[in-house]
Amino acid sequence: METYLYIALFAPLVGSLFASLFADKPKTIITGLVTSALLFVSWVSSVVLLLHVAHGEAVHVKMMDWIQAGGLSIPFGFNVDAVTATMMFVVTTVSTVVHVYSMGYMDHDKSFNRFFAWLSAFVFSMMVLVMSDNFAGLFIGWEGVGLCSWALIGFWYHKESASWAANEAFIMNRVADLGMLIGIFLVYWNFGSLQYDVVFAQVDKMDPTVLMMTTAFLFIGAMGKSAQFPLHTWLADAMEGPTPVSALIHAATMVTAGVYLVIRANPLYGAVPEVSLFVASLGAFVAMFAASMALVNRDLKRIIAYSTLSQLGYMFVAAGVGAYWVALFHLMTHAFFKALLFLGAGNVMHAMDDELDIFKMGGLGKTMQATMILMTIASVALAGIYPLAGFFSKDKILEAAFAGHHYILWAVLWITAGLTAFYSFRLVMLVFFGEERYKIFGYHPHEAYKFMLWAMSPLAVLAVIAGFFEHDFVHMIKAVLPVEEFHVSTGTFWFLIIVTQAIALGGIAFAVWKYSKGGFSEKWRETFVYKLLFNQYYIPKIYDEYICKPYAELSKIAWKELDVRVVDATVDFIATTIYKSGMVSRVVQSGNLSNMLRWMGAGLLILLLAAILYSPVR
């Protein structure tokens, strides 16, 4: 099994290195084929490992000693258990589909080869993150996906908006990562190790205050990576990158790293219910907060991005109430239908010459029937309608919240389920049905390449059937994560399902009815509520006015008043003084023996006087 572990881990790295050899060359289709083939090999190895660990076994390897300093010993080791194998399966499945899809999507891009080099490098970094057996290795992968994300969001760096979005994502995540680093330092300081098994074995012996501080700082890192409020603005802006990047990084893998961290560190979080309650409460808030912004947004990709943000909130609620396996299950099912939504959005963008305003579309279902079907399947799954995958995982989160007597959290998530269904089918209706508004703007839509549609089909299948593997998943995951029965009566169980399905179906029905009638009137767009939601609660403006601009002004003051007038002036003064003293003293080196003897005599006299003056008095 060790061989499969190494293949799954390093195949994406080999693909990235291969593609990088041609990074500055014109498009070479072989880079797309080779990287996609290597991702498929990684996927096969991940499936083999998943089947192996399904029987309760784990695969642990230690490649070498990595860091040895004093009492600190960190091996370069990897561990594949049920949680890791699930993440590996999700990452490699979505990555393989995205790589194949990207060969069509990036077909005419002059930086085709560079794209695949970064894309495979991202997958390798993500695999390091989830497969590492210690916090240090996790952090290396954590920073690796941050770097690759920066390069891929800003892939079209000639666009100012893309470069700005990449920098925003990078800087905001670095702010959060400082908190995570402090958390990792606290882990080592108090536990004496960074190995998961060593740390988790000592949880019961630790002071609750120490655990509270450690988990709080670790969660700050998770907030940044998973774009939780108030570190959320980068996720929607990151849609400036190519759409396959959105599908891979900002729907299925990188943004779920924060959720994975909380799940992996569940013994720590389980010991501090106060922090766990905060995690759940913030998740519920973000779920509704993001869903409300998606209700009025006109940008095709941003709507799906807000949906991702909302669903991440659901996952954090599950983790916060102790249902870690439910959080991981929803992470998995969500990855399939959300990646499918993004890839479908990529098809629409290509058909519409990169237009993203859904109010300039309409009626595309006539010319893009396959994409319409695929995106509708994904939207139904996202809305949580039986029997698609989203129903099984999302309803379990609601059930876990209710069974834990977190009724406010349940109510917030229940309302959000209705909002999710509404904005999902608002998008479907405005893009694929109704009046063909695109004709007014001179667009000539067309369907994507057939192989791109075939590449998307596995995600569609998984979006339909993944939920039916719930019992097998529970059986596998209980060897690693606590699996507790939700104590609700049979009547309550069916009541929860009925009311959740009712609000979801109601949201869909209202969206279909409203937008088949032409949508809301212009008066709605003049209301305070619409403007508040459309402007993202003015949070980006607040950040710009009260953080970014003051910081920029402070930087200018520091540059002009401190750097130039103090630091530079001091350095220049020292340099000038030394230079001038050299110019003055160079007269000594005249080459005239008589003059040099005089200077030597003067110097000897000065030394003797100094010796007499500073000699101790006896």
Side-chain angles (χ1 to χ4, degrees):
M1 286 295 121
E2 291 184 14
T3 302
Y4 288 108
L5 185 151
Y6 289 131
I7 291 173
L9 175 62
F10 290 110
L13 177 61
V14 173
S16 176
L17 294 174
F18 177 82
S20 66
L21 296 175
F22 306 93
D24 60 343
K25 303 289 192 301
K27 175 192 170 183
T28 308
I29 191 64
I30 192 69
T31 58
L33 292 172
V34 169
T35 52
S36 298
L38 286 168
L39 256 296
F40 179 73
V41 170
S42 180
W43 176 80
V44 171
S45 298
S46 298
V47 171
V48 172
L49 289 166
L50 180 66
L51 295 175
H52 177 74
V53 303
H55 299 94
E57 300 180 29
V59 181
H60 185 265
V61 299
K62 176 184 174 182
M63 291 183 62
M64 59 183 176
D65 290 325
W66 179 25
I67 298 176
Q68 296 285 348
L72 177 62
S73 176
I74 304 177
F76 200 66
F78 301 95
N79 183 62
V80 177
D81 56 17
V83 173
T84 304
T86 301
M87 291 296 296
M88 290 170 64
F89 175 73
V90 170
V91 171
T92 54
T93 300
V94 177
S95 300
T96 303
V97 168
V98 167
H99 271 70
V100 175
Y101 176 91
S102 297
M103 286 193 288
Y105 190 89
M106 303 297 290
D107 186 37
H108 302 295
D109 197 286
K110 64 180 181 179
S111 298
F112 181 90
N113 301 333
R114 177 167 62 89
F115 179 81
F116 281 93
W118 278 113
L119 203 64
S120 291
F122 169 82
V123 179
F124 170 68
S125 298
M126 190 69 196
M127 295 293 273
V128 171
L129 190 158
V130 301
M131 295 173 68
S132 178
D133 65 354
N134 61 80
F135 283 101
L138 178 145
F139 189 72
I140 295 298
W142 192 277
E143 295 304 296
V145 295
L147 172 64
C148 296
S149 174
W150 170 80
L152 288 165
I153 295 169
F155 183 76
W156 291 314
Y157 54 84
H158 54 278
K159 292 171 57 181
E160 183 179 352
S161 57
S163 294
W164 188 91
N167 290 334
E168 180 192 20
F170 192 80
I171 293 169
M172 194 166 284
N173 274 275
R174 296 297 74 71
V175 171
D177 289 352
L178 175 61
M180 184 178 178
L181 265 178
I182 295 173
I184 292 175
F185 290 151
L186 287 172
V187 168
Y188 177 71
W189 185 267
N190 293 285
F191 292 88
S193 175
L194 293 177
Q195 295 294 117
Y196 294 146
D197 54 351
V198 176
V199 172
F200 299 155
Q202 302 179 55
V203 171
D204 294 338
K205 305 174 185 177
M206 283 297 140
D207 180 10
T209 303
V210 170
L211 289 175
M212 187 177 297
M213 291 180 61
T214 302
T215 52
F217 278 110
L218 288 175
F219 184 63
I220 291 173
M223 287 169 62
K225 195 67 76 182
S226 293
Q228 296 297 283
F229 179 87
L231 304 174
H232 66 283
T233 56
W234 70 266
L235 183 61
D237 293 334
M239 297 302 105
E240 286 289 339
T243 303
V245 172
S246 304
L248 178 60
I249 296 180
H250 306 117
T253 54
M254 189 187 86
V255 293
T256 61
V259 180
Y260 169 76
L261 172 62
V262 176
I263 294 171
R264 174 56 70 192
N266 71 88
L268 297 176
Y269 284 93
V272 278
E274 299 88 353
V275 176
S276 294
L277 181 60
F278 174 78
V279 171
S281 301
L282 181 64
F285 167 75
V286 171
M288 179 174 283
F289 171 73
S292 65
M293 292 186 288
L295 294 174
V296 300
N297 205 279
R298 299 169 64 104
D299 187 299
L300 175 63
K301 288 174 66 176
R302 281 177 176 265
I303 294 170
I304 304 174
Y306 286 132
S307 171
T308 298
L309 187 55
S310 180
Q311 295 304 305
L312 288 168
Y314 272 88
M315 298 173 206
F316 278 118
V317 170
V321 299
Y324 300 102
W325 75 267
V326 180
L328 184 62
F329 189 50
H330 190 55
L331 185 157
M332 178 180 68
T333 61
H334 169 262
F336 301 140
F337 55 74
K338 187 51 63 65
L340 181 61
L341 268 177
F342 266 117
L343 296 182
N347 292 350
V348 173
M349 283 182 64
H350 263 200
M352 294 290 293
D353 297 330
D354 292 334
E355 177 59 62
L356 286 168
D357 190 342
I358 57 177
F359 281 87
K360 293 182 180 179
M361 301 176 188
L364 290 179
K366 296 178 181 178
T367 54
M368 304 182 69
Q369 189 172 14
T371 298
M372 177 191 70
I373 293 172
L374 291 170
M375 289 192 73
T376 302
I377 290 172
S379 297
V380 174
L382 174 60
I385 303 301
Y386 182 85
L388 274 69
F391 163 80
F392 293 91
S393 56
K394 185 186 288 186
D395 270 41
K396 278 294 177 185
I397 296 173
L398 288 159
E399 184 181 345
F402 196 91
H405 307 294
H406 302 289
Y407 302 121
I408 295 177
L409 298 181
W410 177 85
V412 171
L413 296 184
W414 179 72
I415 295 170
T416 303
L419 301 180
T420 302
F422 174 79
Y423 69 67
S424 297
F425 276 82
R426 169 181 178 264
L427 184 150
V428 171
M429 293 298 295
L430 287 171
V431 172
F432 295 109
F433 297 95
E435 180 186 355
E436 297 172 347
R437 296 178 298 277
Y438 62 84
K439 291 182 178 179
I440 302 173
F441 303 98
Y443 294 117
H444 302 282
H446 55 83
E447 186 58 278
Y449 296 135
K450 286 187 177 180
F451 81 87
M452 294 170 67
L453 297 172
W454 280 109
M456 295 166 63
S457 58
L459 295 176
V461 172
L462 288 169
V464 174
I465 69 170
F468 291 105
F469 293 93
E470 177 189 336
H471 296 295
D472 295 321
F473 179 80
V474 172
H475 177 74
M476 175 186 73
I477 212 71
K478 67 182 181 182
V480 183
L481 297 178
V483 177
E484 299 179 5
E485 292 292 331
F486 305 133
H487 299 292
V488 294
S489 65
T490 303
T492 302
F493 171 78
W494 284 109
F495 169 77
L496 294 175
I497 289 180
I498 291 170
V499 295
T500 305
Q501 288 292 284
I503 196 169
L505 290 170
I508 293 174
F510 182 61
V512 171
W513 172 76
K514 193 66 180 179
Y515 288 97
S516 63
K517 299 288 186 180
F520 292 89
S521 65
E522 290 294 328
K523 291 182 179 179
W524 160 237
R525 299 180 186 178
E526 299 299 322
T527 63
F528 170 76
V529 174
Y530 179 90
K531 292 178 179 178
L532 185 68
L533 299 179
F534 187 78
N535 290 287
Q536 305 170 59
Y537 293 92
Y538 296 98
I539 291 174
K541 187 173 182 179
I542 292 171
Y543 285 177
D544 186 53
E545 291 293 330
Y546 297 103
I547 297 178
C548 297
K549 288 183 179 179
Y551 185 80
E553 289 301 317
L554 182 62
S555 300
K556 288 180 181 178
I557 294 171
W559 164 47
K560 293 181 178 179
E561 302 298 329
L562 295 178
D563 196 32
V564 175
R565 294 191 177 185
V566 179
V567 178
D568 286 356
T570 303
V571 173
D572 290 344
F573 172 76
I574 295 171
T576 302
T577 303
I578 294 173
Y579 176 77
K580 288 182 177 180
S581 65
M583 291 296 292
V584 172
S585 61
R586 68 186 295 182
V587 299
V588 177
Q589 302 294 332
S590 63
N592 187 298
L593 183 59
S594 299
N595 288 337
M596 295 177 72
L597 287 171
R598 291 191 190 97
W599 283 110
M600 288 175 63
L604 181 60
L605 179 61
I606 292 171
L607 289 173
L608 288 172
L609 289 172
I612 293 170
L613 291 172
Y614 291 101
S615 62
V617 178
R618 295 185 181 181

